[in-house]
Amino acid sequence: MTLVPRDVPDVITEDWHRGRGLRARLRRRREIRELDELAARLGWCWEDTVTGAGLVHHSKTAAGIPHTSAPRVQWVEGGPPLTLVVRMLPGQVADDFRAQAHRLAEGMGVAMVRVSTDRHGWLRVALLARDPLTTPMPLPARPRGTSAAVPVLLGADEYGRPVTIDFSERVHLIVQGRTGSGKSRLSYAILQQLAAAPDAVITGCDPSSVLLRPFTGTRHGALQVLGADPLAHAALLDRLVDEMDARLARIPARCDVLPLGPDAPFLFVVLEEWLALLGLAGSDRKLRDRLSTATRRLAAEGGKVGVRVIMLPQRAEANEVGGGLLRGQFAYRLSLPVDNVDAVRLLHPGVSLPQAEAHIRHGQPGVALYDAPDHVSGRLRTPWMPDYGAYWDAITDLTS
């Protein structure tokens, strides 16, 4: 195994021609020797780590002698970050290593590892001294009048790439997170990006009367209900279902979607604190069913006519999030820190139990697990908003 440095100069330089070639060559040899020693140490550390993480194969030779096969580090790239190029064992896949990423990081003595596919049968394991998502991410300015069909920023992934949601597609969004997880700040960022869109109306239910309150008196406020009156919330959702049905009836012949425009803008149905909203119905089973049925219909049938549901529960629970029928409608799913492993795995079935537990125990505010269409998943840092006052001022300015 060798280490491939990225930024070590070539031995043959102008220094050689100036009589300093010997010193350059000796310096080069010393650097290579030190890098090779580091590579050897990393190799031994890696072997112990993958053994402890259960990523080795145990077998016996024909003579009955026990034998252990381990995925080998073939070479190391000097970075930063230091990156191990690993050849997997037959039958192993990258997800086997991602599921044990927390063990690999602990064993290698780093804050975290980033596992990516190099080529068939090979991995790249980057050793990160610190979590790249610890730095706050500012919310970029979105010009007034930008269409709601322009992708909305949800955050940046571990590589610094933007993660967006394209509402021009027939998609809905669910975000869960306990108090203090950063869910409110993310909600502020999403709505701030949509508030001034000329082809969007932000509607919905807000039992807390906080998230949607800045829209009071604006063109959005007429289709919003704030406060603890469950009948008012149910009436609004019924009204939205009626609007959806009217739009469905207007879909032109030989089309399966309604062209959106001034008479049919995007309808963003924001459901703040969904579980609290259902709780307002108390023991009135009929009222709870009325709320749930309307929401399921909006999510299941509204995509063709510009209806987009944004659900914001503190915790996704199998029964309270409408069961699989409703939950399955949310193509975009984000989990900020919550207090329940089952809630994480409910929205992110591809996340292993150790990963879910790590997110519960060590998750930082503003850092979310996410799943998006085409099997895209990972971690992201949500945009940073100063405080509620800044959000209020932004909405007031954008809707005036």
Side-chain angles (χ1 to χ4, degrees):
M1 180 186 66
T2 58
L3 193 147
V4 182
R6 291 181 179 175
D7 300 318
V8 179
D10 211 329
V11 234
I12 303 178
T13 65
E14 292 183 4
D15 287 346
W16 181 271
H17 302 290
R18 295 176 182 172
R20 293 193 290 270
L22 179 60
R23 287 196 300 272
R25 184 166 59 180
L26 292 174
R27 185 172 62 251
R28 170 68 170 175
R29 286 179 177 176
R30 184 175 65 254
E31 290 169 344
I32 291 175
R33 184 174 63 254
E34 291 173 351
L35 292 173
D36 284 343
E37 290 173 355
L38 174 61
R41 291 197 300 272
L42 289 173
W44 285 110
C45 186
W46 171 261
E47 188 167 341
D48 291 341
T49 297
V50 294
T51 300
L55 293 169
V56 298
H57 289 171
H58 300 287
S59 60
K60 290 185 179 181
T61 65
I65 300 174
H67 174 72
T68 299
S69 300
R72 298 291 182 184
V73 176
Q74 300 300 309
W75 66 82
V76 181
E77 294 179 351
L82 278 172
T83 300
L84 315 180
V85 181
V86 178
R87 187 165 189 171
M88 294 182 288
L89 297 175
Q92 290 183 329
V93 296
D95 284 343
D96 296 333
F97 292 80
R98 292 191 183 103
Q100 298 297 327
H102 61 298
R103 297 182 188 278
L104 298 179
E106 184 69 24
M108 299 302 293
V110 294
M112 66 177 295
V113 300
R114 180 189 292 154
V115 178
S116 58
T117 302
D118 185 70
R119 57 186 182 275
H120 182 70
W122 295 67
L123 289 176
R124 298 175 63 83
V125 182
L127 309 180
L128 305 180
R130 65 181 185 87
D131 188 338
L133 299 182
T134 55
T135 304
M137 176 192 179
L139 179 65
R142 187 175 172 102
R144 183 188 295 269
T146 301
S147 169
V150 174
V152 169
L153 182 69
L154 296 177
D157 67 10
E158 293 177 345
Y159 297 89
R161 299 172 301 199
V163 178
T164 60
I165 179 170
D166 186 354
F167 285 115
S168 68
E169 303 291 333
R170 303 178 209 173
V171 294
H172 307 295
L173 169 67
I174 184 170
V175 180
Q176 67 173 343
R178 65 173 178 253
T179 301
S181 67
K183 180 167 66 72
S184 294
R185 299 292 176 96
L186 175 58
S187 304
Y188 302 159
I190 292 172
L191 296 187
Q192 182 174 324
Q193 294 176 76
L194 295 170
D199 53 353
V201 174
I202 297 172
T203 178
C205 303
D206 181 9
S208 68
S209 301
V210 173
L211 178 62
L212 298 181
R213 186 171 50 168
F215 292 94
T216 302
T218 71
R219 62 185 179 88
H220 304 281
L223 284 175
Q224 297 175 355
V225 172
L226 285 63
D229 183 351
L231 291 175
H233 290 292
L236 173 63
L237 292 176
D238 289 342
R239 181 180 174 185
L240 294 174
V241 169
D242 291 342
E243 170 64 17
M244 178 187 71
D245 288 338
R247 290 187 177 196
L248 288 168
R250 299 204 309 268
I251 294 178
R254 303 185 66 190
C255 293
D256 63 350
V257 296
L258 178 70
L260 300 181
D263 296 330
F266 284 98
L267 287 177
F268 289 95
V269 183
V270 179
L271 301 175
E272 168 72 332
E273 300 295 356
W274 172 247
L275 304 187
L277 179 58
L278 291 181
L280 292 176
S283 59
D284 189 337
R285 182 72 180 183
K286 183 178 292 187
L287 182 54
R288 288 173 64 93
D289 289 345
R290 182 180 167 190
L291 293 166
S292 296
T293 300
T295 303
R296 281 197 298 269
R297 285 206 60 201
L298 291 169
E301 304 172 41
K304 297 180 179 181
V305 293
V307 176
R308 305 292 183 260
V309 177
I310 301 176
M311 183 175 281
L312 305 167
Q314 283 203 7
R315 182 176 64 249
E317 296 182 356
N319 294 330
E320 305 300 344
V321 186
L325 181 62
L326 176 57
R327 192 169 61 252
Q329 302 299 325
F330 293 99
Y332 285 80
R333 305 175 179 190
L334 272 72
S335 290
L336 290 149
V338 293
D339 57 5
N340 187 293
V341 171
D342 291 336
V344 174
R345 303 193 73 188
L346 187 72
L347 291 190
H348 312 279
V351 170
S352 68
L353 180 58
Q355 286 176 301
E357 290 175 341
H359 188 61
I360 296 300
R361 295 173 183 169
H362 309 299
Q364 297 297 311
V367 176
L369 299 175
Y370 75 94
D371 278 270
D374 300 323
H375 307 288
V376 177
S377 61
R379 299 166 69 240
L380 62 78
R381 178 80 190 196
T382 60
W384 178 78
M385 292 283 296
D387 53 28
Y388 184 74
Y391 165 64
W392 182 289
D393 292 342
I395 298 301
T396 300
D397 177 62
L398 291 168
T399 57
S400 60

